[in-house]
């Protein structure tokens, strides 16, 4: 197996074909040889018996031996030998002397073969493998009968033998022809293997199995790692590829891999017209999917379509998180810049000897900072602190007074800063937008973690919320601020529910709106 590890497809196929062909030919020729040897031996044994019987029951042969006419017997035997594939024949008279022998000098000599004795004395017909005149042979011994009145009497015996050397030569001749056919079979097997290897390489785009396996592993790893859903279909509109992200989205949308899902993504359209589409918005059950589609070609024929897609809600959440974090960074940078400028003013006043003005400025800034001190003492979660400071800076730029209730308290939590930014950040941004055009621009924040839940109340002095809209403001795309809005509160609710929390909204009689966020202290 190690030899095939780095071999090409063609080499592997040719090697396997040759191995199987040689194995089959070996078994076939082995069985064929055994059968042929048996058949040829039976043929020669039968031919030997037939020849012997023909001579034994031939009246002219019996008459020639009975009358001691060896010349006449020789002519009869020579004539029959030409018709019986030239066997070796010997003939003996009743008195045990050779009447015919391949070696003429032995004619007239006494025989020394027990077969002749059995045939002459007992009239036995015997066919067996025996030592012949010139070596091992298939030998048949038959008595020669002469008609006497109404009966017959034995006047001599005859042997007909075929040498095993000739029998083996006949077998070898057949096997040689078979080997010639086997050579053509091997050549055909090699040709077929080469053609098959060429077709396989064409189907695999010229890549070897090791390369295909490597690309497959890379593809599986890539599809598992990408966050976008990837779906592919063939020309029968059967799903042939579905990565984990796509399956997750399917489960979230309560869809199955059927024609409905294919139509939702627009894959059937791409399969039909072959258009390339990027960032196509597809709606399903209130969800907006961003899909990009491509047709799959085999030559110039469309054989399938592939689509990558993602829920627009996830993209919106990510975008808002980035905007929130960037806003906090800009707010803190503005505060640092403002504080640095004030330090320069204090330093200048001190250098000019205006100590009283410098002291007055320090006291003023200290009083402002002192107002925020409860925030750092009572609210100990660094993520919430950063969000509140950033939003205070943003509110101050817009002339909005954002303050934290002095009774607030919060220990450090395990919530990710990104999710806290989505929930608290969106509530504060909505509150700032609500009061930006009002005469009184105030926002109060109350946070407490007493009990089993964390409660965050954000109250603004804005125009409030129409009671008819209270049941719709948390739906995706629902907004009175214009198109492309309405995702903030939906993301707040979705993120809160992810941790088992909830959100409530009310419009007090005195005006404005109060958003109450409830989060469990401990979540899994």
């Amino acid at each position: 197996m190690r030899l095939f590890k780095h071999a090409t497809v063609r080499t592997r196929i040719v090697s396997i074909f040759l191995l199987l062909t040689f194995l089959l030919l070996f078994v076939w020729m082995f069985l064929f040889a055994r059968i042929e040897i048996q058949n040829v031996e039976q043929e020669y044994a039968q031919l030997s018996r037939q020849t012997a019987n023909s001579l034994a029951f031939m009246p002219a042969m019996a008459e020639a031996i009975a009358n001691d006419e060896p010349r006449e017997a020789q002519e009869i035997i020579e004539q029959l030998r030409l018709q019986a594939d030239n066997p070796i024949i010997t003939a003996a008279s009743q008195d045990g002397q050779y009447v015919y022998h391949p070696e003429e000098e032995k004619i007239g000599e006494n025989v020394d073969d027990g077969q002749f004795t059995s045939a002459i004395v007992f009239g036995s017909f015997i066919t067996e493998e025996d030592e012949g005149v010139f070596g091992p042979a298939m030998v048949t011994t038959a008595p020669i009968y002469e008609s006497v009145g109404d009966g017959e009497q034995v006047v001599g015996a005859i042997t007909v033998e075929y040498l095993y050397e000739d029998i083996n030569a006949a077998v070898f001749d057949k096997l040689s022809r078979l080997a010639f056919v086997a050579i053509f079979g091997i050549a055909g097997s090699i040709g077929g293997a080469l053609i098959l290897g060429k077709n396989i390489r064409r189907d695999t785009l010229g890549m070897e199995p090791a390369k295909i396996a490597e690309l497959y592993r890379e593809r599986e790893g890539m599809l598992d790692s990408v966050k976008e859903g990837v779906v592919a279909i063939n020309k029968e509109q059967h799903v042939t590829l579905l990565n984990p992200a796509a399956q997750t989205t399917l489960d979230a949308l309560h869809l199955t891999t059927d024609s409905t899902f294919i139509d939702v993504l627009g894959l059937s359209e791409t399969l039909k017209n072959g258009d390339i589409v990027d960032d196509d918005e597809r709606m399903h059950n209130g969800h907006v999917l961003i899909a990009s589609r491509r047709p799959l070609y085999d030559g110039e024929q469309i054989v399938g379509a592939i689509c990558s897609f993602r829920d627009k809600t996830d993209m919106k959440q990510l975008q808002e998180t980035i905007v929130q974090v960037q806003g906090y960074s800009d707010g803190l940078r503005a505060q640092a810049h403002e504080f640095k400028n004030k330090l320069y003013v204090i330093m200048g006043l001190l250098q000019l000897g205006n100590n009283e003005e410098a002291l007055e400025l320090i006291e003023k800034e200290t009083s402002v900072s002192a107002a925020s001190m409860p925030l750092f003492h009572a609210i100990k979660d660094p993520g919430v602190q950063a969000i509140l400071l950033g939003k205070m800076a943003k509110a101050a730029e817009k002339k909005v007074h954002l303050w934290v209730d002095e009774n607030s308290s919060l220990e450090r939590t395990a919530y990710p800063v990104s999710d806290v930014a989505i929930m608290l950040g969106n509530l504060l941004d909505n509150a700032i937008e609500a009061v930006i055009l009002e005469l009184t621009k105030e926002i109060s924040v109350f946070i407490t973690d007493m009990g089993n839940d964390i409660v965050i109340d954000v109250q603004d002095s804005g125009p409030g919320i129409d009671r008819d809209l209270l049941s719709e403001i948390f739906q995706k795309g629902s907004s009175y601020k214009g198109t492309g809005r309405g995702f903030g509160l939906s993301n707040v609710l979705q993120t809160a529910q992810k941790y088992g929390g909830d959100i409530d909204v009310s419009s007090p009689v005195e005006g404005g709106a109060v958003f109450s966020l409830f989060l469990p202290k401990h979540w899994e």
Side-chain angles (χ1 to χ4, degrees):
M1 297 303 294
R2 292 182 178 179
L3 296 176
F4 285 111
K5 186 175 181 179
H6 301 291
T8 63
V9 172
R10 183 175 297 182
T11 301
R12 295 185 187 188
I13 293 176
V14 171
S15 301
I16 292 174
F17 266 60
L18 283 178
L19 180 63
L20 292 177
T21 302
F22 276 117
L23 180 62
L24 291 175
L25 286 176
F26 175 79
V27 174
W28 180 40
M29 292 187 68
F30 176 77
L31 296 176
F32 180 83
R34 293 198 61 178
I35 294 173
E36 281 301 311
I37 290 173
Q38 294 176 356
N39 290 340
V40 171
E41 286 182 349
Q42 291 176 0
E43 289 176 4
Y44 276 94
Q46 184 177 2
L47 183 60
S48 175
R49 285 193 297 270
Q50 290 176 350
T51 304
N53 288 337
S54 297
L55 290 172
F57 289 99
M58 187 178 294
M61 184 66 182
E63 183 179 351
I65 292 179
N67 297 331
D68 193 19
E69 297 177 352
R71 179 74 57 183
E72 183 70 18
Q74 181 179 1
E75 291 179 358
I76 295 173
I77 292 173
E78 289 294 335
Q79 184 178 3
L80 191 60
R81 283 183 69 247
L82 296 177
Q83 300 174 2
D85 200 14
N86 294 319
I88 298 174
I89 299 177
T90 59
S93 61
Q94 186 177 11
D95 56 6
Q97 293 181 347
Y98 282 114
V99 177
Y100 179 82
H101 195 281
E103 298 175 343
E104 293 184 2
E105 62 272 13
K106 289 189 176 183
I107 296 177
E109 295 182 0
N110 294 328
V111 302
D112 53 0
D113 192 342
Q115 283 187 331
F116 278 110
T117 302
S118 299
I120 293 173
V121 176
F122 302 104
S124 302
F125 284 83
I126 302 173
T127 300
E128 61 182 356
E129 300 175 12
D130 198 0
E131 186 69 23
V133 176
F134 299 114
M138 180 65 68
V139 181
T140 296
T141 304
I144 299 174
Y145 287 95
E146 180 185 24
S147 297
V148 179
D150 295 335
E152 293 179 337
Q153 68 176 1
V154 176
V155 295
I158 191 168
T159 64
V160 178
E161 59 185 66
Y162 290 94
L163 292 174
Y164 267 99
E165 180 180 350
D166 297 332
I167 295 174
N168 293 336
V171 173
F172 181 77
D173 182 62
K174 290 188 176 184
L175 292 181
S176 298
R177 291 195 294 270
L178 178 63
F180 186 72
V181 174
I183 292 174
F184 277 100
I186 293 173
S189 177
I190 295 175
L194 292 175
I195 295 174
L196 178 60
K198 183 178 180 180
N199 290 337
I200 292 177
R201 282 184 60 84
R202 182 183 60 196
D203 293 339
T204 58
L205 304 179
M207 291 184 290
E208 297 298 329
K211 183 63 176 178
I212 295 174
E214 180 183 352
L215 292 176
Y216 177 80
R217 288 190 295 267
E218 291 176 355
R219 190 199 75 155
E220 290 299 307
M222 178 188 66
L223 291 176
D224 290 343
S225 62
V226 297
K227 293 184 178 180
E228 285 195 348
V230 180
V231 179
I233 62 172
N234 56 19
K235 59 183 178 181
E236 287 80 21
Q237 297 195 19
H238 296 155
V239 175
T240 57
L241 174 64
L242 186 72
N243 73 334
Q247 186 63 60
T248 301
T249 305
L250 282 179
D251 296 339
L253 299 180
H254 303 290
L255 285 171
T256 57
T257 54
D258 56 9
S259 58
T260 303
F261 174 61
I262 293 172
D263 291 338
V264 167
L265 292 177
L267 281 169
S268 55
E269 302 172 11
T270 300
L271 188 63
K272 181 179 180 180
N273 53 40
D275 291 340
I276 297 176
V277 181
D278 292 320
D279 299 331
D280 182 24
E281 290 194 5
R282 313 288 295 190
M283 293 290 299
H284 181 74
N285 292 339
H287 286 261
V288 180
L289 301 177
I290 307 298
S292 297
R293 301 183 299 273
R294 296 287 188 278
L296 300 177
Y297 288 93
D298 182 8
E300 297 182 355
Q301 182 181 5
I302 297 177
V303 296
I306 189 169
C307 173
S308 63
F309 65 95
R310 192 168 184 179
D311 195 336
K312 187 176 181 180
T313 306
D314 296 337
M315 299 172 66
K316 188 68 176 178
Q317 286 182 346
L318 179 59
Q319 182 180 2
E320 289 189 357
T321 300
I322 294 174
V323 170
Q324 291 285 352
V325 174
Q326 185 177 3
Y328 307 147
S329 176
D330 292 341
L332 293 175
R333 190 181 298 110
Q335 281 188 337
H337 182 70
E338 183 180 356
F339 184 71
K340 187 176 181 180
N341 289 336
K342 291 177 180 179
L343 284 179
Y344 285 138
V345 173
I346 294 172
M347 182 178 67
L349 291 173
L350 292 176
Q351 288 177 346
L352 294 173
N354 298 326
N355 296 337
E356 293 183 2
E357 288 82 351
L359 182 59
E360 182 181 352
L361 179 58
I362 292 173
E363 289 177 351
K364 180 180 178 181
E365 292 301 320
T366 303
S367 62
V368 174
S369 300
S372 302
M373 289 306 293
L375 170 67
F376 298 99
H377 291 300
I379 300 177
K380 301 178 181 180
D381 188 84
V384 176
Q385 286 181 355
I387 294 170
L388 289 173
L389 285 173
K391 294 304 178 183
M392 283 181 175
K394 179 179 179 181
E397 291 178 0
K398 298 180 181 293
K399 308 301 181 182
V400 176
H401 181 211
L402 193 160
W403 55 280
V404 180
D405 193 295
E406 61 182 7
N407 294 318
S408 298
S409 64
L410 179 64
E411 298 294 331
R412 181 184 289 269
T413 69
Y415 286 91
V417 177
S418 59
D419 287 343
V420 175
I422 291 175
M423 294 183 287
L424 181 56
N426 273 303
L427 292 179
L428 293 175
D429 283 340
N430 287 347
I432 292 173
E433 288 187 32
V435 303
I436 196 70
L437 299 177
E438 301 296 320
L439 295 176
T440 303
K441 304 177 182 179
E442 289 193 1
I443 300 172
S444 65
V445 179
F446 173 73
I447 303 175
T448 180
D449 59 355
M450 296 180 64
N452 295 324
D453 292 330
I454 298 172
V455 181
I456 302 176
D457 289 336
V458 178
Q459 183 174 1
D460 61 66
S461 60
I465 301 174
D466 190 342
R467 294 186 182 275
D468 295 335
L469 299 177
L470 289 178
S471 60
E472 301 177 2
I473 60 175
F474 294 108
Q475 295 181 5
K476 291 180 181 179
S478 175
S479 176
Y480 56 86
K481 301 175 183 178
T483 59
R485 305 293 298 273
F487 289 94
L489 290 177
S490 174
N491 291 339
V492 173
L493 177 60
Q494 185 176 353
T495 306
Q497 290 178 342
K498 182 170 68 173
Y499 297 103
D502 201 357
I503 186 173
D504 189 22
V505 61
S506 61
S507 287
V509 179
E510 60 272 17
V514 179
F515 286 87
S516 299
L517 180 65
F518 303 93
L519 298 172
K521 278 186 180 181
H522 307 289
W523 48 272
E524 295 182 358

